Amino acid sequence: MSVERVETKPIPGQKPGTSGLRKKTRVFMQPGYLENFVQSIWNGIGGIAGQTLVLGGDGRFFNDRAVQIILRMAAASGAARVVVGQNGFLSTPAASNLIRQRRADGGVILSASHNPGGPDEDFGIKYNMMNGGPATEAITSAIHAASETIDHYLTLGTPDIDLSRLGETALGAMVVEVVDPVADYATLMETLFDFNAIRGLLQSGFQLRFDAMHAITGPYAVEILERRLGAAPGSVRNAIPLPDFGGGHPDPNPVWARDLMEAMHAADAPDFGAASDGDGDRNMIVGRACYVTPSDSLAVLAANAHLAPGYAAGLKGVARSMPTSGAVDRVAAARGLPCYATPTGWKFFGTLLDAGLATLC
């Protein structure tokens, strides 16, 4: 099993943003396009020899092929281990947790967030650092610079790995570890929130509905809400991730989550409703005939965080982007918490989190 050096040349337009590189799926499917960008990631971060990486995505079209390509390229460039979600699946929060839990050197997440999926829709790839957060502007600039000077990429000429089976497999000198994409994240949730109290609420007759929108959070919601917390079977709708999100648009808002909104405004509406986006890092909260804006969701979380075991010691601070409403500012003032308003962009939140200045953003 030898390393193959494939000659290439720069491809214009491979400049990642704070959410990585997003293009139409057919663009990524062009010969060498994904390979060029992945090699540029390796080059831009100074190489991956001896490193441990986390890999997975939201299951959209081309996710399965991209995972196999990236595994071969990681092995060819000397990575020691890649921890990959079963069948190539990992939500963005679960990938972040795995990076930190395994003390990995970084991770590659395949997603275009709330954008539609399919051969004629969108695909994306982003690099997360060892803190579990998206790459900083300095790193994305280095990746872009590498994409403008690339002249070859490295890969292995090997068959695909069976990613449906949990456990370890050798790919050249690299170990591929296939893990349950849900288990570690669900366990993390049990340390943060009072599952006994929530379970008791659901047993008292409290009803909820969660719309996974045929995106990555379906298996997570079934495991956490129905199996561990005891919500009624069927409380999670559209729970099976599909490559085209069932022909829908996995953006959790009143327009695209119309079925949930109609259910929450019906005479027999559940007590609580929620939906999430393609890769599971954005949500919508709905009460009976009541849409809760993300701004208010943050304020409610900040006001009640001390009731959750994981935050019983209190919050270090809260932060919001400048276009966001000032609801959380009122909570911060009442609770004596530092409150920060940042420009739009996750990197600003990441700086506050890493500095220990904020807990919720």
Side-chain angles (χ1 to χ4, degrees), residues 13-359:
Q14 291 198 333
K15 182 177 182 179
T18 55
S19 296
L21 183 67
R22 294 183 187 174
K23 301 286 182 181
K24 289 298 180 184
T25 305
R26 292 194 188 277
V27 172
F28 272 102
M29 293 171 66
Q30 296 176 75
Y33 191 93
L34 175 65
E35 291 87 342
N36 260 35
F37 188 70
V38 171
Q39 188 67 55
S40 297
I41 294 176
W42 305 163
N43 297 347
I45 63 176
I48 58 169
Q51 291 192 2
T52 294
L53 301 175
V54 168
L55 172 63
D58 61 16
R60 67 179 57 233
F61 190 89
F62 192 55
N63 188 100
D64 55 347
R65 301 304 317 141
V67 167
Q68 298 286 352
I69 290 169
I70 294 167
L71 285 172
R72 286 192 281 266
M73 292 186 67
S77 288
R81 177 183 293 264
V82 174
V83 181
V84 57
Q86 189 175 28
N87 296 315
F89 287 1
L90 269 181
S91 75
T92 292
S96 175
N97 176 55
L98 267 180
I99 290 169
R100 289 177 280 115
Q101 185 185 71
R102 296 302 190 90
R103 297 183 179 178
D105 297 281
V108 177
I109 301 174
L110 305 172
S111 174
S113 189
H114 55 279
N115 294 10
D120 296 312
E121 298 296 348
D122 298 333
F123 192 80
I125 176 173
K126 55 186 175 183
Y127 177 74
N128 276 30
M129 304 187 304
M130 65 188 307
N131 66 355
T136 62
E137 193 169 8
I139 294 296
T140 57
S141 294
I143 293 170
H144 181 222
S147 76
E148 295 184 311
T149 58
I150 188 172
D151 61 8
H152 73 276
Y153 62 83
L154 303 178
T155 189
L156 296 181
T158 58
D160 287 352
I161 287 180
D162 182 0
L163 299 180
S164 67
R165 293 192 307 160
L166 301 179
E168 296 184 352
T169 304
L171 182 58
M174 184 181 82
V175 175
V176 177
E177 181 183 357
V178 181
V179 300
D180 183 324
V182 175
D184 288 331
Y185 182 77
T187 299
L188 171 67
M189 293 301 102
E190 287 188 321
T191 69
L192 296 178
F193 300 100
D194 191 337
F195 272 36
N196 287 331
I198 301 171
R199 193 177 296 113
L201 176 67
L202 293 172
Q203 290 174 348
S204 74
F206 188 91
Q207 294 182 322
L208 63 82
R209 179 174 295 192
F210 183 91
D211 190 345
M213 306 187 80
H214 287 302
I216 192 62
T217 56
Y220 295 84
V222 170
E223 174 63 25
I224 295 171
L225 299 177
E226 294 188 6
R227 294 180 185 151
R228 300 200 184 193
L229 292 173
S235 295
V236 179
R237 304 297 176 94
N238 301 319
I240 299 175
L242 298 175
D244 66 347
F245 305 118
H249 191 142
D251 189 353
N253 65 43
V255 174
W256 299 114
R258 182 175 297 174
D259 289 348
L260 175 64
M261 295 300 295
E262 290 178 352
M264 296 305 299
H265 282 75
D268 59 347
D271 300 285
F272 179 87
S276 59
D277 74 333
D279 64 332
D281 63 0
R282 293 175 56 225
N283 66 68
M284 176 177 74
I285 303 299
V286 191
R288 284 180 173 171
C290 175
Y291 168 71
V292 183
T293 71
S295 306
D296 288 343
S297 292
L298 176 61
V300 171
L301 285 167
N304 295 282
H306 62 286
L307 300 174
Y311 305 98
L315 304 178
K316 296 176 181 177
V318 293
R320 62 172 178 83
S321 58
M322 287 187 289
T324 305
S325 90
V328 75
D329 303 48
R330 302 288 187 90
V331 174
R335 291 204 169 274
L337 295 172
C339 183
Y340 305 92
T342 74
T344 300
W346 175 260
K347 58 181 176 288
F348 300 108
F349 290 154
T351 299
L352 291 169
L353 292 168
D354 286 344
L357 299 174
T359 306

